């Protein structure tokens, strides 16, 4: 990635149609996510040609520009170019005809747009909980020691109050009042309400104005708060229209709370839980019937899911499963082979390429995938760019996913699998799990490395100074960037 983030960001904004075409922008761990006013103004060829851009993913809702681990620096520079208030907003383009495809894309965009900003807190909490588990296993502190209790509380905070975090993030996405969204989500995790739901679960009758309230546990959940905040965005607009101007300061928020909170408690909350439970049931029914084969299929499909951004769809399912059972044994184990395979394939490219710039990119991408489990630099900067290494990764991901499934590996958190986060797969009751984890990781690197060398790849020729000057000129021009170059096949 170029260190001149200001210049790269300026070129990106120009290529997507300029400042006036940006309705909003957010970022996740590796991508800038633009919502545009007019998709037709995007110059895709010019955008992909910018040095520092690893790839571009486009759909009806967003234009996603893959930057890599330095995305936060590029995001900061993009914000300097945009008018105040563009960050995180979700104004989007004008209303279009409603179709099933657009509804599906909208749901996916809402889920990904809401969950992506929360991933750092979720990963941070997961790793703290794993640290507490290791300290407990090694006997550094006695059983029930206050230090372990505090560490577990620190790690569990992001999960216990996940509905509140989801509400805050969704409020930004749906452009509704964040404080009201947080207040309503806070009701769902209030100690008195939790106690009331526990009594309802035991058969005690719980009613609100004569209407029975379904017993639901909302801590560690995503879908209820997300649905609630989406509905809140409409309730707020409706209440704003019917309240007199002189009463808006007190009557408007009171009416919103009195309307939205009961609907959340009696309708949206239970419905969201049923939706989340249904999705989880489908995923793990497949796992129950196919066993290790389902993990193998997921291991092969994972890079393709990441390419489309659909991998974030599994986040609520993983969180809910870990909260209910303490571990997740399908999606997370499949990621071990997928991530490490991308790292091994990148190492093979670095070994064989004659292009110094590509070698540097491949080595950095391999380190990111293998050590930290962040695979997008390897996916976009190497595998997808050269194509055949991606095939090698899919083959390796399938094999290693199957091995992980046969070994019965399961994750106790949802940090992206890599060398530093492999501890999440350690099972205190099964010491052999350590052997299985490292066996799968080594196997993924070895298989993908040699498969990539066997398949070969079209190496990228080294650019001459004249070609670089021509590229720089074209990147700033108004016409799409295009350079004709012959490929050199490496076997």
């Amino acid at each position: 990635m170029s260190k001149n983030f200001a210049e790269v960001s300026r070129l990106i904004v120009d290529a997507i149609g300029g400042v006036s075409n940006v309705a909003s922008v957010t970022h996740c761990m590796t991508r800038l996510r633009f919502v545009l006013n007019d998709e037709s103004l995007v110059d895709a060829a010019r955008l992909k040609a910018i040095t520092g851009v690893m790839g571009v993913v486009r759909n009806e809702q967003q234009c996603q520009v893959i930057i890599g681990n330095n995305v936060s620096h590029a995001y900061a520079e993009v914000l300097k170019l945009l008018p105040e208030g563009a960050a995180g907003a979700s104004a989007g383009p004008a209303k279009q005809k409603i179709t099933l495809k657009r509804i599906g894309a909208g749901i996916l965009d809402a889920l990904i747009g809401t969950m992506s900003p929360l991933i750092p807190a979720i990963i941070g909490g997961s790793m703290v909980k794993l640290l507490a588990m290791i300290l407990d296993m090694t006997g550094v502190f006695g059983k029930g020691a206050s230090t372990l209790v505090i560490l577990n509380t620190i790690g569990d905070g992001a999960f216990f109050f996940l509905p509140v975090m989801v509400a805050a993030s969704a409020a930004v996405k749906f452009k509704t009042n964040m404080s009201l969204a947080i207040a309503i989500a806070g009701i769902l995790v209030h100690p008195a309400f939790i106690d009331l739901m526990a009594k309802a679960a035991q058969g005690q009758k719980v009613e609100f104005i004569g209407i029975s309230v379904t017993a639901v546990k909302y801590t560690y959940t995503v879908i209820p708060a997300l649905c609630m905040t989406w509905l809140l965005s409409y309730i707020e607009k409706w209440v704003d229209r019917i309240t007199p101007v002189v009463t808006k300061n007190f009557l408007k928020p009171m009416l919103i709370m009195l309307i939205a909170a009961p609907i959340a408690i009696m309708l949206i909350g239970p419905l969201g839980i049923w939706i989340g439970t249904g999705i989880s049931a489908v995923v793990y029914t497949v796992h129950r019937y196919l066993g290790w084969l389902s993990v193998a299929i997921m291991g092969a499909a994972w890079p393709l899911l990441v390419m489309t951004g659909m991998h974030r769809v599994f986040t609520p399912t993983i969180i809910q499963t870990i909260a209910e059972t303490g571990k997740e044994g399908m999606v997370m184990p499949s990621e071990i082979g997928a991530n490490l395979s991308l790292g091994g394939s990148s190492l093979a490219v670095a070994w064989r390429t004659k292009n110094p710039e590509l070698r540097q990119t491949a080595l950095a991408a391999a380190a990111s995938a293998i050590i930290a489990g962040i695979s997008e630099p390897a996916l976009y900067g190497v595998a997808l760019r050269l194509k055949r290494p991606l095939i090698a990764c899919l083959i390796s991901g399938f094999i290693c996913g199957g091995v992980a499934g046969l070994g019965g590996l399961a994750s106790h958190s949802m940090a992206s699998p890599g060398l530093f986060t492999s501890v999440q797969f350690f099972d205190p009751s099964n010491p052999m799990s350590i052997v299985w984890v490292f066996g799968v990781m080594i196997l993924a690197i070895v298989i993908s490395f040699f498969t990539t060398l066997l398949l070969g790849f079209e190496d990228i020729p080294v650019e001459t100074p004249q070609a670089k000057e021509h590229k720089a000129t074209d990147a700033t021009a108004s016409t799409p960037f295009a350079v004709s170059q012959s490929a050199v096949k490496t076997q």
Side-chain angles (χ1 to χ4, degrees), residues 304-332:
L304 305 179
L305 292 172
V306 173
M307 285 166 53
T308 60
M310 290 185 65
H311 60 304
R312 291 297 179 211
V313 171
F314 292 97
T315 299
T317 300
I318 295 170
I319 292 173
Q320 183 170 331
T321 303
I322 293 176
E324 292 175 353
T325 67
K327 58 185 179 181
E328 195 282 324
M330 178 182 169
V331 181
M332 294 300 298

Side-chain angles (χ1 to χ4, degrees), residues 237-257:
K237 293 175 184 176
W238 178 74
V239 172
D240 184 65
R241 286 199 301 268
I242 66 170
T243 50
V245 175
V246 294
T247 65
K248 285 189 184 296
N249 286 343
F250 64 91
L251 186 59
K252 176 183 172 182
M254 184 185 75
L255 287 177
I256 291 173
M257 291 288 289

Side-chain angles (χ1 to χ4, degrees), residues 234-396:
Y234 289 94
I235 293 174
E236 183 182 13
K237 293 175 184 176
W238 178 74
V239 172
D240 184 65
R241 286 199 301 268
I242 66 170
T243 50
V245 175
V246 294
T247 65
K248 285 189 184 296
N249 286 343
F250 64 91
L251 186 59
K252 176 183 172 182
M254 184 185 75
L255 287 177
I256 291 173
M257 291 288 289
L258 286 176
I259 295 171
I263 292 177
I265 292 170
M266 293 185 290
L267 179 62
I268 299 299
L271 181 62
I273 290 291
W274 295 332
I275 292 172
T277 302
I279 294 172
S280 296
V282 171
V283 171
Y284 295 109
T285 296
V286 172
H287 183 213
R288 186 166 60 251
Y289 280 101
L290 297 183
W292 64 268
L293 183 59
S294 65
V295 187
I297 294 172
M298 185 65 74
W302 193 254
L304 305 179
L305 292 172
V306 173
M307 285 166 53
T308 60
M310 290 185 65
H311 60 304
R312 291 297 179 211
V313 171
F314 292 97
T315 299
T317 300
I318 295 170
I319 292 173
Q320 183 170 331
T321 303
I322 293 176
E324 292 175 353
T325 67
K327 58 185 179 181
E328 195 282 324
M330 178 182 169
V331 181
M332 294 300 298
S334 72
E335 286 189 63
I336 306 175
N339 290 350
L340 275 293
S341 293
L342 284 162
S345 183
S346 296
L347 285 177
V349 170
W351 173 277
R352 184 59 64 85
T353 183
K354 300 297 190 296
N355 188 317
E357 185 177 349
L358 178 59
R359 181 179 296 111
Q360 182 180 2
T361 299
L363 287 173
S368 176
I370 294 172
I371 297 174
I374 305 300
S375 62
E376 286 183 302
L379 176 61
Y380 291 101
V382 180
L384 188 60
R385 186 179 181 186
L386 302 177
K387 297 181 176 60
R388 289 186 185 180
L390 177 60
I391 298 174
C393 292
L394 301 184
I395 295 171
S396 178

